[in-house]
């Protein structure tokens, strides 16, 4: 009961636009620096470089979502292009992750696609890959529609997306996206029971179904989980089904389960860390607190250290 109240509280805070705006002026507070890699591209490049030296590859996410003006969306697009250019210039091993609402999806879909094309052009110039993050359920179908358009109409093959295991629709989506690189996650937004499973055992079972489906189709699969039981099941599954290590990778968030990350590297698995950075950190941080009650210790320690 307490865990549910805590989760709902932090998810509510994550969507509070006033707090999100105020947090941009605060700098990284409440322990957020443990899970957000600074606020500038330079900070991000150094973090990625350090992780690369430990055998870990990355995907960078310039934090920001639900922008309300074209100017903000254009600025975010340009910043993502500069991030890709910095990756190319420094030679670090990192992809890029982006959110469609940061690029103006809620303003105009075609405007968002135009911005995304600029980012994908920059990724192609630097021989890189871009992952479209999945957001809340209301943006799910349109995000998949945009992915299809980018790949089939505009011819970009350097783009994939994310599928969330707690959504009822996700198995059908994974089947429909055969051959497209997917990151598979459990899901981190508060969704209605009419569209999303609510119980962890049910979500976990569906998660494994999605992973198995995409792997058996021969598709590139990123298993994004901190759950050691899920990771152990995936290891067993790929061995039993002779799935090569270069067809899949494990992914985790920056600042979480670092010892497990290193163990996977030592075992010969590809380990990618999702590295968020930027001044729009509040919503991301609140969702991390909501996901796992033990994460709240980050905030409590951070609060009392200020």
């Amino acid at each position: 009961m307490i865990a549910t109240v805590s989760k709902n509280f932090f998810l509510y805070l994550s969507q509070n636009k006033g707090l999100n705006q105020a947090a941009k002026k605060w700098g990284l507070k409440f322990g957020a620096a443990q899970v957000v890699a600074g606020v500038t591209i330079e900070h991000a490049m150094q973090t990625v470089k350090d992780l690369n030296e430990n055998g870990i590859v990355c995907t960078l996410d310039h934090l920001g979502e639900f922008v309300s003006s074209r100017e903000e969306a254009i600025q975010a697009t340009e910043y993502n292009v500069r991030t890709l250019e910095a990756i190319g210039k420094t030679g670090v091993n990192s992809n890029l992750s982006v959110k469609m609402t940061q690029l103006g999806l809620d303003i105009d879909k075609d405007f968002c696609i135009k911005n995304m094309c600029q980012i994908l052009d920059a990724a192609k110039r630097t021989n890189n890959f871009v992952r479209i993050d999945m957001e809340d359920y209301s943006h799910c179908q349109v995000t998949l529609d945009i992915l299809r358009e980018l790949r089939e109409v505009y011819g970009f093959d350097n783009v994939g997306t994310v599928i969330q295991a707690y959504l009822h629709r996700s198995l059908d989506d994974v089947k429909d996206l055969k051959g497209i690189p997917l990151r598979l996650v459990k899901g981190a937004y508060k969704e209605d029971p009419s569209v999303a499973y609510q119980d962890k055992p049910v979500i976990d079972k569906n998660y494994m179904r999605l992973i198995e489906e995409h792997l058996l189709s021969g598709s590139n699969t990123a298993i994004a989980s901190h759950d050691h039981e899920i990771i152990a099941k995936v290891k067993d599954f790929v061995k039993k089904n002779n799935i090569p290590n270069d067809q899949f990778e494990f992914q985790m968030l920056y600042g979480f389960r670092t010892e497990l990350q290193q163990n996977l590297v030592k075992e010969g698995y590809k380990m990618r860390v999702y590295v968020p950075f930027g001044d729009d950190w509040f919503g991301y941080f609140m969702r991390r607190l909501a996901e796992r009650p033990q994460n709240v210790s980050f905030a409590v320690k951070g609060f009392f250290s200020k």
Side-chain angles (χ1 to χ4, degrees), residues 91-150:
V92 297
N93 191 333
S94 181
N95 298 156
L96 183 72
S97 293
V98 296
K99 287 183 172 60
M100 294 297 88
T101 59
Q102 187 190 38
L103 304 182
L105 176 57
D106 289 342
I107 299 166
D108 180 77
K109 179 185 171 185
D110 290 337
F111 169 65
C112 175
I113 290 173
K114 180 183 174 184
N115 289 335
M116 190 61 190
C117 285
Q118 288 185 46
I119 292 170
L120 290 173
D121 276 330
K124 218 153 207 182
R125 290 196 301 272
T126 54
N127 194 31
N128 214 329
F129 174 84
V130 179
R131 181 94 58 185
I132 299 174
D133 280 342
M134 190 57 72
E135 302 179 67
D136 61 348
Y137 181 77
S138 67
H139 294 93
C140 181
Q141 185 58 54
V142 69
T143 297
L144 297 181
D145 291 343
I146 289 172
L147 174 70
R148 285 285 189 195
E149 191 166 341
L150 290 168

Short mmCIF file of all heavy atoms in Angstrom, two decimals, residues 91-150:
data_model
loop_
_atom_site.label_atom_id
_atom_site.label_comp_id
_atom_site.label_asym_id
_atom_site.label_seq_id
_atom_site.Cartn_x
_atom_site.Cartn_y
_atom_site.Cartn_z
N GLY A 91 34.73 10.37 -30.66
CA GLY A 91 34.97 8.96 -30.91
C GLY A 91 34.45 8.03 -29.83
O GLY A 91 34.79 6.84 -29.80
N VAL A 92 33.61 8.55 -28.93
CA VAL A 92 33.04 7.67 -27.90
C VAL A 92 32.02 6.73 -28.53
O VAL A 92 31.48 6.99 -29.61
CB VAL A 92 32.38 8.49 -26.75
CG1 VAL A 92 33.41 9.35 -26.04
CG2 VAL A 92 31.23 9.34 -27.27
N ASN A 93 31.75 5.62 -27.85
CA ASN A 93 30.83 4.61 -28.37
C ASN A 93 29.46 4.82 -27.73
O ASN A 93 29.21 4.38 -26.61
CB ASN A 93 31.36 3.20 -28.06
CG ASN A 93 30.58 2.12 -28.79
OD1 ASN A 93 29.42 2.29 -29.11
ND2 ASN A 93 31.24 1.00 -29.04
N SER A 94 28.60 5.53 -28.44
CA SER A 94 27.27 5.82 -27.91
C SER A 94 26.28 6.06 -29.03
O SER A 94 26.61 6.69 -30.04
CB SER A 94 27.31 7.05 -27.00
OG SER A 94 26.01 7.32 -26.47
N ASN A 95 25.07 5.56 -28.86
CA ASN A 95 23.93 5.91 -29.71
C ASN A 95 23.24 7.13 -29.10
O ASN A 95 23.74 7.71 -28.12
CB ASN A 95 22.93 4.75 -29.77
CG ASN A 95 23.50 3.48 -30.39
OD1 ASN A 95 23.01 2.40 -30.11
ND2 ASN A 95 24.52 3.59 -31.23
N LEU A 96 22.07 7.47 -29.65
CA LEU A 96 21.26 8.56 -29.14
C LEU A 96 19.83 8.09 -28.94
O LEU A 96 19.30 7.33 -29.75
CB LEU A 96 21.27 9.74 -30.12
CG LEU A 96 20.52 11.01 -29.69
CD1 LEU A 96 21.26 11.74 -28.57
CD2 LEU A 96 20.31 11.94 -30.88
N SER A 97 19.20 8.52 -27.86
CA SER A 97 17.78 8.27 -27.61
C SER A 97 17.03 9.60 -27.60
O SER A 97 17.53 10.58 -27.04
CB SER A 97 17.59 7.55 -26.28
OG SER A 97 18.12 6.24 -26.32
N VAL A 98 15.85 9.63 -28.22
CA VAL A 98 15.08 10.88 -28.29
C VAL A 98 13.60 10.61 -27.99
O VAL A 98 13.11 9.49 -28.21
CB VAL A 98 15.20 11.55 -29.68
CG1 VAL A 98 16.62 11.97 -29.96
CG2 VAL A 98 14.69 10.63 -30.79
N LYS A 99 12.92 11.64 -27.53
CA LYS A 99 11.48 11.57 -27.29
C LYS A 99 10.76 12.45 -28.30
O LYS A 99 11.16 13.60 -28.54
CB LYS A 99 11.15 12.03 -25.87
CG LYS A 99 11.55 11.03 -24.79
CD LYS A 99 11.13 11.52 -23.42
CE LYS A 99 11.36 10.42 -22.37
NZ LYS A 99 12.77 10.01 -22.27
N MET A 100 9.70 11.93 -28.87
CA MET A 100 8.98 12.67 -29.89
C MET A 100 8.31 13.93 -29.34
O MET A 100 8.21 14.93 -30.04
CB MET A 100 7.92 11.76 -30.56
CG MET A 100 8.50 10.60 -31.36
SD MET A 100 9.50 11.08 -32.79
CE MET A 100 11.13 11.24 -32.02
N THR A 101 7.86 13.90 -28.09
CA THR A 101 7.23 15.11 -27.55
C THR A 101 8.26 16.22 -27.36
O THR A 101 7.90 17.40 -27.37
CB THR A 101 6.52 14.83 -26.22
OG1 THR A 101 7.45 14.31 -25.27
CG2 THR A 101 5.37 13.85 -26.41
N GLN A 102 9.53 15.86 -27.19
CA GLN A 102 10.58 16.88 -27.09
C GLN A 102 10.80 17.57 -28.44
O GLN A 102 11.23 18.71 -28.51
CB GLN A 102 11.90 16.25 -26.61
CG GLN A 102 13.00 17.27 -26.32
CD GLN A 102 14.35 16.62 -26.08
OE1 GLN A 102 14.68 15.63 -26.74
NE2 GLN A 102 15.11 17.16 -25.16
N LEU A 103 10.48 16.83 -29.51
CA LEU A 103 10.70 17.35 -30.87
C LEU A 103 9.43 17.96 -31.47
O LEU A 103 9.38 18.23 -32.67
CB LEU A 103 11.22 16.23 -31.77
CG LEU A 103 12.50 15.54 -31.28
CD1 LEU A 103 12.94 14.48 -32.28
CD2 LEU A 103 13.62 16.53 -31.02
N GLY A 104 8.41 18.16 -30.62
CA GLY A 104 7.22 18.88 -31.07
C GLY A 104 6.04 18.04 -31.50
O GLY A 104 5.13 18.53 -32.18
N LEU A 105 5.97 16.78 -31.10
CA LEU A 105 4.87 15.91 -31.51
C LEU A 105 3.51 16.47 -31.08
O LEU A 105 2.53 16.39 -31.83
CB LEU A 105 5.06 14.50 -30.92
CG LEU A 105 3.93 13.50 -31.19
CD1 LEU A 105 3.68 13.34 -32.69
CD2 LEU A 105 4.25 12.15 -30.56
N ASP A 106 3.43 17.05 -29.89
CA ASP A 106 2.15 17.58 -29.41
C ASP A 106 1.77 18.90 -30.08
O ASP A 106 0.65 19.39 -29.91
CB ASP A 106 2.20 17.77 -27.88
CG ASP A 106 2.22 16.46 -27.13
OD1 ASP A 106 1.85 15.43 -27.73
OD2 ASP A 106 2.61 16.44 -25.95
N ILE A 107 2.71 19.46 -30.84
CA ILE A 107 2.43 20.70 -31.57
C ILE A 107 1.93 20.36 -32.97
O ILE A 107 0.88 20.85 -33.41
CB ILE A 107 3.71 21.57 -31.66
CG1 ILE A 107 4.17 21.96 -30.25
CG2 ILE A 107 3.48 22.82 -32.52
CD1 ILE A 107 5.57 22.51 -30.19
N ASP A 108 2.69 19.49 -33.67
CA ASP A 108 2.33 19.12 -35.04
C ASP A 108 3.15 17.90 -35.43
O ASP A 108 4.38 17.92 -35.36
CB ASP A 108 2.59 20.28 -36.00
CG ASP A 108 2.23 19.94 -37.43
OD1 ASP A 108 1.04 19.94 -37.75
OD2 ASP A 108 3.16 19.65 -38.21
N LYS A 109 2.48 16.84 -35.88
CA LYS A 109 3.18 15.59 -36.21
C LYS A 109 4.19 15.78 -37.33
O LYS A 109 5.32 15.31 -37.26
CB LYS A 109 2.16 14.52 -36.59
CG LYS A 109 2.77 13.18 -36.98
CD LYS A 109 1.71 12.20 -37.47
CE LYS A 109 2.34 10.96 -38.07
NZ LYS A 109 1.32 10.07 -38.67
N ASP A 110 3.80 16.48 -38.40
CA ASP A 110 4.71 16.67 -39.54
C ASP A 110 5.93 17.50 -39.15
O ASP A 110 7.05 17.25 -39.62
CB ASP A 110 3.98 17.33 -40.70
CG ASP A 110 2.96 16.40 -41.35
OD1 ASP A 110 3.12 15.17 -41.20
OD2 ASP A 110 2.01 16.90 -41.98
N PHE A 111 5.71 18.48 -38.27
CA PHE A 111 6.82 19.29 -37.75
C PHE A 111 7.79 18.41 -36.97
O PHE A 111 9.01 18.51 -37.11
CB PHE A 111 6.23 20.39 -36.86
CG PHE A 111 7.22 21.17 -36.03
CD1 PHE A 111 8.18 21.97 -36.63
CD2 PHE A 111 7.18 21.11 -34.64
CE1 PHE A 111 9.09 22.70 -35.87
CE2 PHE A 111 8.08 21.83 -33.87
CZ PHE A 111 9.03 22.63 -34.49
N CYS A 112 7.24 17.50 -36.16
CA CYS A 112 8.06 16.56 -35.38
C CYS A 112 8.87 15.66 -36.32
O CYS A 112 10.08 15.43 -36.09
CB CYS A 112 7.15 15.73 -34.48
SG CYS A 112 8.00 14.43 -33.57
N ILE A 113 8.23 15.14 -37.36
CA ILE A 113 8.93 14.26 -38.31
C ILE A 113 10.06 15.01 -39.01
O ILE A 113 11.16 14.47 -39.20
CB ILE A 113 7.93 13.68 -39.33
CG1 ILE A 113 7.00 12.68 -38.64
CG2 ILE A 113 8.66 13.02 -40.51
CD1 ILE A 113 5.86 12.18 -39.51
N LYS A 114 9.81 16.26 -39.37
CA LYS A 114 10.85 17.08 -40.00
C LYS A 114 12.05 17.22 -39.08
O LYS A 114 13.21 17.09 -39.50
CB LYS A 114 10.28 18.46 -40.34
CG LYS A 114 11.28 19.41 -41.00
CD LYS A 114 10.65 20.78 -41.23
CE LYS A 114 11.70 21.75 -41.75
NZ LYS A 114 11.14 23.13 -41.90
N ASN A 115 11.79 17.47 -37.81
CA ASN A 115 12.88 17.59 -36.83
C ASN A 115 13.62 16.26 -36.68
O ASN A 115 14.85 16.22 -36.60
CB ASN A 115 12.32 18.03 -35.47
CG ASN A 115 11.85 19.47 -35.48
OD1 ASN A 115 12.33 20.28 -36.28
ND2 ASN A 115 10.93 19.81 -34.59
N MET A 116 12.87 15.16 -36.66
CA MET A 116 13.48 13.85 -36.52
C MET A 116 14.35 13.52 -37.73
O MET A 116 15.42 12.91 -37.59
CB MET A 116 12.38 12.80 -36.33
CG MET A 116 12.90 11.44 -35.94
SD MET A 116 13.78 11.42 -34.36
CE MET A 116 14.47 9.77 -34.39
N CYS A 117 13.93 13.93 -38.91
CA CYS A 117 14.73 13.70 -40.12
C CYS A 117 16.08 14.42 -40.02
O CYS A 117 17.11 13.88 -40.46
CB CYS A 117 13.97 14.16 -41.36
SG CYS A 117 12.64 13.04 -41.87
N GLN A 118 16.09 15.61 -39.45
CA GLN A 118 17.36 16.33 -39.26
C GLN A 118 18.29 15.53 -38.35
O GLN A 118 19.50 15.43 -38.62
CB GLN A 118 17.11 17.71 -38.64
CG GLN A 118 16.48 18.73 -39.56
CD GLN A 118 16.39 20.09 -38.90
OE1 GLN A 118 17.34 20.57 -38.27
NE2 GLN A 118 15.24 20.72 -38.99
N ILE A 119 17.74 14.97 -37.30
CA ILE A 119 18.54 14.19 -36.35
C ILE A 119 19.06 12.91 -37.02
O ILE A 119 20.24 12.56 -36.88
CB ILE A 119 17.71 13.86 -35.10
CG1 ILE A 119 17.44 15.15 -34.30
CG2 ILE A 119 18.41 12.83 -34.22
CD1 ILE A 119 16.43 14.99 -33.18
N LEU A 120 18.21 12.25 -37.78
CA LEU A 120 18.62 11.01 -38.44
C LEU A 120 19.64 11.27 -39.55
O LEU A 120 20.52 10.43 -39.80
CB LEU A 120 17.40 10.26 -38.97
CG LEU A 120 16.50 9.65 -37.88
CD1 LEU A 120 15.23 9.08 -38.49
CD2 LEU A 120 17.24 8.57 -37.10
N ASP A 121 19.52 12.40 -40.22
CA ASP A 121 20.55 12.79 -41.20
C ASP A 121 21.90 12.95 -40.52
O ASP A 121 22.93 12.49 -41.03
CB ASP A 121 20.15 14.10 -41.90
CG ASP A 121 19.19 13.89 -43.07
OD1 ASP A 121 19.26 12.82 -43.70
OD2 ASP A 121 18.38 14.79 -43.33
N ALA A 122 21.89 13.62 -39.36
CA ALA A 122 23.14 13.80 -38.61
C ALA A 122 23.69 12.46 -38.14
O ALA A 122 24.90 12.23 -38.16
CB ALA A 122 22.89 14.73 -37.42
N ALA A 123 22.79 11.56 -37.73
CA ALA A 123 23.22 10.23 -37.29
C ALA A 123 23.84 9.46 -38.45
O ALA A 123 24.84 8.75 -38.27
CB ALA A 123 22.04 9.47 -36.71
N LYS A 124 23.27 9.61 -39.64
CA LYS A 124 23.82 8.91 -40.80
C LYS A 124 25.21 9.45 -41.14
O LYS A 124 26.12 8.68 -41.48
CB LYS A 124 22.88 9.08 -42.00
CG LYS A 124 22.78 7.83 -42.85
CD LYS A 124 21.47 7.74 -43.59
CE LYS A 124 21.16 6.27 -43.85
NZ LYS A 124 19.92 6.09 -44.61
N ARG A 125 25.37 10.76 -41.04
CA ARG A 125 26.68 11.37 -41.34
C ARG A 125 27.75 10.87 -40.38
O ARG A 125 28.92 10.79 -40.73
CB ARG A 125 26.60 12.90 -41.25
CG ARG A 125 25.81 13.56 -42.34
CD ARG A 125 26.09 15.06 -42.40
NE ARG A 125 25.77 15.76 -41.17
CZ ARG A 125 24.58 16.26 -40.88
NH1 ARG A 125 23.57 16.13 -41.74
NH2 ARG A 125 24.37 16.91 -39.73
N THR A 126 27.34 10.56 -39.15
CA THR A 126 28.30 10.11 -38.13
C THR A 126 28.23 8.61 -37.89
O THR A 126 28.77 8.11 -36.91
CB THR A 126 28.05 10.86 -36.80
OG1 THR A 126 26.67 10.70 -36.41
CG2 THR A 126 28.34 12.36 -36.94
N ASN A 127 27.54 7.90 -38.81
CA ASN A 127 27.42 6.44 -38.74
C ASN A 127 26.87 5.98 -37.39
O ASN A 127 27.44 5.12 -36.71
CB ASN A 127 28.79 5.78 -39.01
CG ASN A 127 28.68 4.29 -39.28
OD1 ASN A 127 27.67 3.83 -39.83
ND2 ASN A 127 29.68 3.54 -38.89
N ASN A 128 25.73 6.56 -37.01
CA ASN A 128 25.17 6.28 -35.70
C ASN A 128 23.71 5.85 -35.81
O ASN A 128 23.10 5.90 -36.87
CB ASN A 128 25.33 7.50 -34.78
CG ASN A 128 25.56 7.10 -33.33
OD1 ASN A 128 25.08 6.07 -32.86
ND2 ASN A 128 26.31 7.92 -32.61
N PHE A 129 23.17 5.45 -34.67
CA PHE A 129 21.81 4.92 -34.57
C PHE A 129 21.03 5.73 -33.54
O PHE A 129 21.57 6.15 -32.52
CB PHE A 129 21.89 3.45 -34.13
CG PHE A 129 20.56 2.81 -33.84
CD1 PHE A 129 19.79 2.27 -34.87
CD2 PHE A 129 20.07 2.72 -32.53
CE1 PHE A 129 18.56 1.67 -34.60
CE2 PHE A 129 18.85 2.12 -32.26
CZ PHE A 129 18.10 1.59 -33.30
N VAL A 130 19.73 5.93 -33.82
CA VAL A 130 18.87 6.72 -32.93
C VAL A 130 17.68 5.87 -32.49
O VAL A 130 17.02 5.23 -33.32
CB VAL A 130 18.37 8.00 -33.61
CG1 VAL A 130 17.46 8.79 -32.67
CG2 VAL A 130 19.55 8.86 -34.07
N ARG A 131 17.42 5.86 -31.22
CA ARG A 131 16.29 5.12 -30.65
C ARG A 131 15.20 6.10 -30.23
O ARG A 131 15.46 7.06 -29.49
CB ARG A 131 16.73 4.34 -29.42
CG ARG A 131 15.65 3.52 -28.76
CD ARG A 131 15.62 2.10 -29.22
NE ARG A 131 16.88 1.42 -29.00
CZ ARG A 131 17.13 0.18 -29.43
NH1 ARG A 131 16.21 -0.49 -30.10
NH2 ARG A 131 18.30 -0.39 -29.20
N ILE A 132 13.98 5.89 -30.72
CA ILE A 132 12.84 6.70 -30.29
C ILE A 132 12.31 6.12 -28.99
O ILE A 132 11.81 4.99 -28.95
CB ILE A 132 11.73 6.72 -31.35
CG1 ILE A 132 12.24 7.32 -32.66
CG2 ILE A 132 10.52 7.49 -30.84
CD1 ILE A 132 11.24 7.24 -33.81
N ASP A 133 12.42 6.88 -27.91
CA ASP A 133 11.88 6.42 -26.63
C ASP A 133 10.35 6.37 -26.69
O ASP A 133 9.73 7.23 -27.32
CB ASP A 133 12.30 7.39 -25.51
CG ASP A 133 13.71 7.14 -25.02
OD1 ASP A 133 14.24 6.05 -25.28
OD2 ASP A 133 14.28 8.05 -24.40
N MET A 134 9.78 5.39 -26.02
CA MET A 134 8.33 5.33 -25.91
C MET A 134 7.90 6.13 -24.69
O MET A 134 8.55 6.05 -23.63
CB MET A 134 7.85 3.89 -25.79
CG MET A 134 6.34 3.74 -25.92
SD MET A 134 5.64 4.39 -27.46
CE MET A 134 6.21 3.18 -28.66
N GLU A 135 6.83 6.89 -24.83
CA GLU A 135 6.35 7.72 -23.72
C GLU A 135 5.05 7.14 -23.19
O GLU A 135 4.90 5.92 -23.13
CB GLU A 135 6.24 9.17 -24.22
CG GLU A 135 7.60 9.67 -24.75
CD GLU A 135 7.57 11.08 -25.27
OE1 GLU A 135 7.36 12.01 -24.47
OE2 GLU A 135 7.77 11.27 -26.49
N ASP A 136 4.11 7.97 -22.78
CA ASP A 136 2.89 7.44 -22.19
C ASP A 136 1.98 6.85 -23.28
O ASP A 136 2.22 7.01 -24.47
CB ASP A 136 2.17 8.51 -21.37
CG ASP A 136 1.75 9.71 -22.21
OD1 ASP A 136 2.21 9.83 -23.36
OD2 ASP A 136 0.96 10.53 -21.72
N TYR A 137 0.94 6.16 -22.84
CA TYR A 137 0.09 5.40 -23.76
C TYR A 137 -0.53 6.29 -24.84
O TYR A 137 -0.69 5.85 -25.99
CB TYR A 137 -1.01 4.67 -22.98
CG TYR A 137 -1.91 3.85 -23.88
CD1 TYR A 137 -1.48 2.62 -24.37
CD2 TYR A 137 -3.18 4.31 -24.23
CE1 TYR A 137 -2.29 1.85 -25.21
CE2 TYR A 137 -3.99 3.55 -25.07
CZ TYR A 137 -3.55 2.33 -25.56
OH TYR A 137 -4.34 1.59 -26.40
N SER A 138 -0.88 7.52 -24.49
CA SER A 138 -1.54 8.39 -25.46
C SER A 138 -0.65 8.70 -26.67
O SER A 138 -1.14 9.11 -27.72
CB SER A 138 -1.98 9.70 -24.79
OG SER A 138 -0.84 10.47 -24.40
N HIS A 139 0.67 8.48 -26.52
CA HIS A 139 1.60 8.74 -27.62
C HIS A 139 2.10 7.46 -28.28
O HIS A 139 2.95 7.51 -29.18
CB HIS A 139 2.81 9.54 -27.12
CG HIS A 139 2.47 10.92 -26.67
ND1 HIS A 139 2.18 11.24 -25.35
CD2 HIS A 139 2.37 12.08 -27.37
CE1 HIS A 139 1.92 12.53 -25.28
NE2 HIS A 139 2.02 13.07 -26.47
N CYS A 140 1.59 6.31 -27.86
CA CYS A 140 2.13 5.04 -28.34
C CYS A 140 1.91 4.84 -29.84
O CYS A 140 2.86 4.64 -30.61
CB CYS A 140 1.53 3.89 -27.54
SG CYS A 140 2.15 2.26 -28.03
N GLN A 141 0.65 4.87 -30.28
CA GLN A 141 0.36 4.57 -31.68
C GLN A 141 1.02 5.58 -32.62
O GLN A 141 1.59 5.21 -33.64
CB GLN A 141 -1.15 4.54 -31.93
CG GLN A 141 -1.52 4.11 -33.35
CD GLN A 141 -0.97 2.73 -33.69
OE1 GLN A 141 -1.22 1.74 -32.97
NE2 GLN A 141 -0.22 2.62 -34.79
N VAL A 142 0.95 6.86 -32.28
CA VAL A 142 1.52 7.87 -33.18
C VAL A 142 3.05 7.73 -33.25
O VAL A 142 3.66 7.97 -34.30
CB VAL A 142 1.09 9.30 -32.75
CG1 VAL A 142 1.73 9.71 -31.42
CG2 VAL A 142 1.44 10.31 -33.85
N THR A 143 3.67 7.30 -32.15
CA THR A 143 5.12 7.07 -32.17
C THR A 143 5.46 5.93 -33.13
O THR A 143 6.42 6.03 -33.91
CB THR A 143 5.63 6.74 -30.75
OG1 THR A 143 5.40 7.87 -29.90
CG2 THR A 143 7.12 6.42 -30.76
N LEU A 144 4.69 4.86 -33.10
CA LEU A 144 4.92 3.74 -34.01
C LEU A 144 4.63 4.13 -35.46
O LEU A 144 5.33 3.70 -36.38
CB LEU A 144 4.07 2.53 -33.60
CG LEU A 144 4.40 1.94 -32.22
CD1 LEU A 144 3.50 0.74 -31.94
CD2 LEU A 144 5.86 1.54 -32.12
N ASP A 145 3.63 4.99 -35.65
CA ASP A 145 3.33 5.48 -37.00
C ASP A 145 4.51 6.30 -37.54
O ASP A 145 4.89 6.17 -38.72
CB ASP A 145 2.07 6.36 -36.98
CG ASP A 145 0.81 5.57 -36.69
OD1 ASP A 145 0.83 4.33 -36.81
OD2 ASP A 145 -0.20 6.21 -36.32
N ILE A 146 5.10 7.13 -36.68
CA ILE A 146 6.25 7.94 -37.09
C ILE A 146 7.44 7.05 -37.42
O ILE A 146 8.14 7.27 -38.42
CB ILE A 146 6.61 8.96 -35.99
CG1 ILE A 146 5.54 10.06 -35.92
CG2 ILE A 146 7.99 9.57 -36.22
CD1 ILE A 146 5.70 11.01 -34.75
N LEU A 147 7.67 6.03 -36.60
CA LEU A 147 8.77 5.09 -36.87
C LEU A 147 8.61 4.47 -38.25
O LEU A 147 9.57 4.41 -39.04
CB LEU A 147 8.79 4.00 -35.80
CG LEU A 147 9.80 2.87 -36.04
CD1 LEU A 147 11.23 3.38 -35.85
CD2 LEU A 147 9.53 1.69 -35.11
N ARG A 148 7.41 4.00 -38.56
CA ARG A 148 7.14 3.40 -39.87
C ARG A 148 7.42 4.40 -41.00
O ARG A 148 8.04 4.06 -42.01
CB ARG A 148 5.69 2.94 -39.95
CG ARG A 148 5.38 1.68 -39.18
CD ARG A 148 5.93 0.46 -39.89
NE ARG A 148 5.47 -0.77 -39.27
CZ ARG A 148 5.99 -1.96 -39.50
NH1 ARG A 148 7.01 -2.07 -40.35
NH2 ARG A 148 5.53 -3.04 -38.91
N GLU A 149 6.94 5.62 -40.81
CA GLU A 149 7.12 6.64 -41.85
C GLU A 149 8.60 6.95 -42.06
O GLU A 149 9.07 7.08 -43.20
CB GLU A 149 6.33 7.89 -41.47
CG GLU A 149 6.25 8.91 -42.60
CD GLU A 149 5.20 9.99 -42.36
OE1 GLU A 149 4.29 9.78 -41.52
OE2 GLU A 149 5.29 11.04 -43.02
N LEU A 150 9.34 7.07 -40.97
CA LEU A 150 10.78 7.37 -41.08
C LEU A 150 11.52 6.26 -41.82
O LEU A 150 12.42 6.53 -42.63
CB LEU A 150 11.38 7.57 -39.69
CG LEU A 150 10.95 8.84 -38.95
CD1 LEU A 150 11.38 8.77 -37.49
CD2 LEU A 150 11.53 10.09 -39.61
#
